[in-house]
Amino acid sequence: MRKAVVVFSGGQDSTTCLIQAIANYDEVHCITFDYGQRHKLEIEVAESIAKELGIAAHKVMDVGLLNELAISSLTRDSIPVSHELQENGLPNSFVPGRNILFLTLAGIYAYQIGAEAVITGVCETDFSGYPDCRDEFVKSINQSLVLGMDRPLNIETPLMWLNKAETWALADQYNRLGFVREKTLTCYNGIIGDGCGDCPSCDLRRAGLEDYLNHKETVMAELKAKQTDGNA
């Protein structure tokens, strides 16, 4: 039996990954992290989506220590999410160490349940500039987990080389575009579905959706080409 663990936030990207994982694996587990993020609604949405998609094994893990250490607009209500980059060239929504911690804990969970893969929706094609979303980082931590636990494990990143339009196309391949659009929470201001329309996350999401809806055949062909090449 093939098992996978999906790092699951209830957002567009991780929900699309979950939908694909359900089709590709015999048993899928979700792990959601409560790190004192800006909106607790994120956890409720993740639980609701996992239940609706028939995921029986959904672990919500308290990692509040991250909130104490990592200062970001996503961990401090007093810091507004900004469209401007900081002096270090990163957006103020970057949570330092978040994916290092999440992928490490998901890897441990995969070890315990005998899963062969950890799936995460990180991407460096259309993304917010977070260094822990890069392919180089994922490959590095994957190698470290294999060495540190002396067990095969593959961190899968189905969206790594997809732009946002192609991510919408992927959801549509599984006849779930409407579900992802209506049920997920991507907005930094905590509005489910199409979101506030003003934060950086909503900007990326909306632009990708508009691109896909206006150029469906072209975008779907590009997605299928990447899937054939092993880049999706």
Side-chain angles (χ1 to χ4, degrees):
M1 176 180 285
R2 299 184 68 220
K3 297 182 184 179
V5 175
V6 177
V7 179
F8 188 56
S9 69
Q12 175 194 355
D13 294 341
S14 64
T15 300
T16 302
C17 288
L18 176 58
I19 289 165
Q20 185 184 56
I22 291 169
N24 291 342
Y25 284 89
D26 301 307
E27 184 175 306
V28 178
H29 294 240
C30 288
I31 186 166
T32 299
F33 297 101
D34 181 355
Y35 60 97
Q37 53 264 61
R38 193 177 188 91
H39 301 291
K40 286 286 187 183
L41 182 60
E42 183 177 300
I43 297 166
E44 296 174 17
V45 168
E47 290 177 321
S48 175
I49 291 174
K51 183 177 181 180
E52 190 166 348
L53 292 179
I55 303 299
H58 182 204
K59 178 181 287 294
V60 178
M61 181 171 288
D62 183 353
V63 288
L65 179 63
L66 181 62
N67 185 283
E68 296 179 30
L69 297 173
I71 298 175
S72 159
S73 62
L74 299 190
T75 61
R76 299 291 186 276
D77 290 338
S78 59
I79 303 175
V81 178
S82 173
H83 288 264
E84 303 298 324
L85 298 180
Q86 303 175 97
E87 290 183 3
N88 61 5
L90 297 175
N92 75 353
S93 55
F94 173 59
V95 182
R98 181 171 59 175
N99 283 337
I100 298 172
L101 180 62
F102 288 3
L103 291 174
T104 299
L105 293 174
I108 296 169
Y109 183 49
Y111 181 99
Q112 295 299 333
I113 65 170
E116 65 188 68
V118 168
I119 301 171
T120 177
V122 298
C123 164
E124 69 168 80
T125 304
D126 268 354
F127 76 135
S128 300
Y130 301 156
D132 60 358
C133 288
R134 295 176 298 182
D135 185 60
E136 181 183 14
F137 160 73
V138 175
K139 282 183 168 58
S140 174
I141 199 164
N142 196 158
Q143 182 182 25
S144 295
L145 287 168
V146 169
L147 289 172
M149 296 192 291
D150 195 22
R151 179 182 179 275
L153 178 71
N154 186 37
I155 299 180
E156 297 182 2
T157 54
L159 312 183
M160 181 60 74
W161 307 115
L162 303 187
N163 59 38
K164 268 292 182 283
E166 292 162 346
T167 299
W168 284 111
L170 181 59
D172 208 9
Q173 269 192 337
Y174 292 97
N175 298 312
R176 289 288 191 172
L177 187 144
F179 180 92
V180 172
R181 181 174 181 179
E182 295 166 11
K183 303 279 188 177
T184 61
L185 174 57
T186 304
C187 174
Y188 289 153
N189 289 314
I191 300 174
I192 297 171
D194 289 337
C196 70
D198 188 48
C199 71
S201 184
C202 283
D203 287 347
L204 277 173
R205 176 178 166 128
R206 182 183 62 251
L209 181 60
E210 290 176 355
D211 188 12
Y212 176 59
L213 293 178
N214 290 330
H215 309 94
K216 268 192 175 185
E217 291 185 7
T218 300
V219 175
M220 189 65 78
E222 290 169 349
L223 171 63
K224 289 179 180 178
K226 288 183 177 181
Q227 290 172 328
T228 300
D229 293 339
N231 290 325

